[in-house]
Amino acid sequence: GGGGGDARDGQPPLPWTKDGYSQPATPDGATPSPIVNRRAGPILITAPHGLRCFRGGKAHGDRRRIHHREKFSTEIALKLSAAIGRQMGFPCSFIVWNMKTAKRADNANLDPNYLLDSQFDRSPWHLALVDWKNACRAAGSPCMHVDFHGKHDPKPKKGSRVKKFTLDLGIDPLTDCAEDREETDATALQWTEAEAEALKTAAFDELSMAMSEVTLGSQHSPAPVVVDADPYLCGLWGHGCECTLSHQAVREGVPAFQLETPYTLRRAMASDDGAIVERMAAAIVSLYQNVVTQVEAGKGPITDYTEMPMPERMGPQKESAGGAGGAGGAGGAEEDAALVQADLVAIEAMLGDIRVLDARDSDKQI
């Protein structure tokens, strides 16, 4: 899931204007964005808690609270994006916090997973999500959003060991909104309740198969990874209140779900040879190709993702008013492959910088 170390691994990160992935937040290019928004292919991977951020406060009618960084979540989102890009032969979209440019403890760092409708326009995450959705719709390509999260490891009873690690599949925004689109303010969604349930069932099956050979813990007491399709961390706060990122996507008409991963699974995905990441990426690609594309084809004419406009290469010099993507006709297979390879280089540069910056991060992490 991303390969070996960056060529500059361990060295001080380059300035944001020269690192090949950071983007400006303003048209004059003077101020860096706190996120990296890679608008490319029809699958979007996000990791909204890869940085300490703030939720609640006056607008919510409660106290402001800190949501701690979920360790390895950004790295895994990047590795998943790289793996999906390789498997599909077309760059994968992603949105992550930029650990280099996002200001620590900045009050503007609103939790993207806990936004009121009135806060959507203040969140670079929501704006990037809508920008990606609009680009996919304009190209006629079906799209799917996967939101990656971390949770605590299970706590075994005293004197016993952890018997299993659970990967939570949170898809309630889609199933709830599909059941009553008017009542849930999701009128942009065209999916039926049966179609949403079909994606839930397929996601459970695909992810269970992907995790079937994964064992965590020590050699003496290995524990399997199981998938829970009806977890407490279901991706939905409710309706008429705060929205998770996957809920925001669903209200924009995009099928979406979130994955809550225990710490030990994240650690394995971030540090192993990439096998777990590749299997999870294959499950996501299969869901897109065999469920999402098929459902969307039943709604009207669709365009294959390989015919989408070629995205620009990553980096600040290619940033435009419309985001990180570019216009123009679709490229051939060789152009697509070259673009995937360029993304891999940019992702490796990010991972190298994160390794350096993570070592300096003394804040509490989940």
Side-chain angles (χ1 to χ4, degrees), residues 134-202:
N134 287 340
C136 291
R137 291 286 185 257
S141 177
C143 52
M144 183 179 79
H145 170 219
V146 181
D147 195 31
F148 194 87
H149 289 262
K151 63 176 184 175
H152 292 291
D153 273 349
K155 290 185 178 180
K157 293 180 180 179
K158 191 173 182 180
S160 65
R161 63 178 181 84
V162 173
K163 295 182 179 179
K164 65 180 180 181
F165 292 89
T166 304
L167 170 64
D168 292 338
L169 168 62
I171 197 170
D172 279 19
L174 182 63
T175 55
D176 244 42
C177 291
E179 186 177 352
D180 192 335
R181 286 167 280 181
E182 294 284 344
E183 192 66 27
T184 58
D185 197 18
T187 53
L189 183 68
Q190 296 185 27
W191 283 50
T192 65
E193 185 178 0
E195 289 163 345
E197 290 292 339
L199 180 59
K200 177 179 178 178
T201 299

Side-chain angles (χ1 to χ4, degrees), residues 9 56 123 140 177 190 198 205 218-221 244 262 275 286 303 315 324 334 338:
D9 200 11
S123 170
C177 291
Q190 296 185 27
D205 292 343
S218 68
Q219 287 183 318
H220 302 292
S221 58
T244 62
S286 177
T303 300
E334 289 185 7

Side-chain angles (χ1 to χ4, degrees), residues 307-323:
E307 298 300 317
M308 290 180 70
M310 288 289 288
E312 299 279 11
R313 290 183 180 246
M314 291 183 68
Q317 72 281 1
K318 293 295 184 182
E319 186 69 14
S320 65

Side-chain angles (χ1 to χ4, degrees), residues 189-308:
L189 183 68
Q190 296 185 27
W191 283 50
T192 65
E193 185 178 0
E195 289 163 345
E197 290 292 339
L199 180 59
K200 177 179 178 178
T201 299
F204 173 78
D205 292 343
E206 289 282 358
L207 290 166
S208 294
M209 189 182 305
M211 295 295 115
S212 63
E213 298 179 16
V214 179
T215 55
L216 304 173
S218 68
Q219 287 183 318
H220 302 292
S221 58
V225 177
V226 299
V227 180
D228 184 355
D230 293 291
Y232 171 73
L233 298 171
C234 63
L236 183 69
W237 295 112
H239 301 286
C241 59
E242 290 82 6
C243 284
T244 62
L245 199 55
S246 59
H247 190 185
Q248 293 166 49
V250 168
R251 287 179 58 192
E252 289 289 333
V254 177
F257 56 86
Q258 72 173 35
L259 298 175
E260 291 275 359
T261 52
Y263 173 79
T264 297
L265 177 57
R266 274 177 283 141
R267 184 177 61 190
M269 292 179 73
S271 60
D272 79 344
D273 60 2
I276 304 176
V277 168
E278 290 291 337
R279 284 197 285 266
M280 184 178 284
I284 292 170
V285 171
S286 177
L287 290 171
Y288 173 77
Q289 293 178 334
N290 298 319
V291 182
V292 172
T293 298
Q294 302 305 315
V295 169
E296 295 287 347
K299 311 296 182 186
I302 63 171
T303 300
D304 188 83
Y305 66 87
T306 57
E307 298 300 317
M308 290 180 70

Side-chain angles (χ1 to χ4, degrees), residues 69-134:
R69 176 183 167 214
E70 293 168 355
K71 193 171 181 68
F72 304 126
S73 61
T74 294
E75 296 94 314
I76 294 168
L78 293 172
K79 287 171 179 276
L80 277 172
S81 298
I84 290 168
R86 283 195 301 269
Q87 291 179 21
M88 295 183 75
F90 196 87
C92 180
S93 297
F94 62 82
I95 309 169
V96 295
W97 289 105
N98 188 333
M99 203 168 178
K100 178 188 294 181
T101 61
K103 296 178 182 176
R104 183 177 173 274
D106 189 336
N107 289 333
N109 293 341
L110 299 177
D111 184 348
N113 215 47
Y114 196 77
L115 294 179
L116 297 167
D117 286 29
S118 60
Q119 296 174 313
F120 286 172
D121 288 345
R122 293 168 47 200
S123 170
W125 285 76
H126 181 82
L127 296 175
L129 170 70
V130 173
D131 187 53
W132 163 78
K133 181 266 301 186
N134 287 340

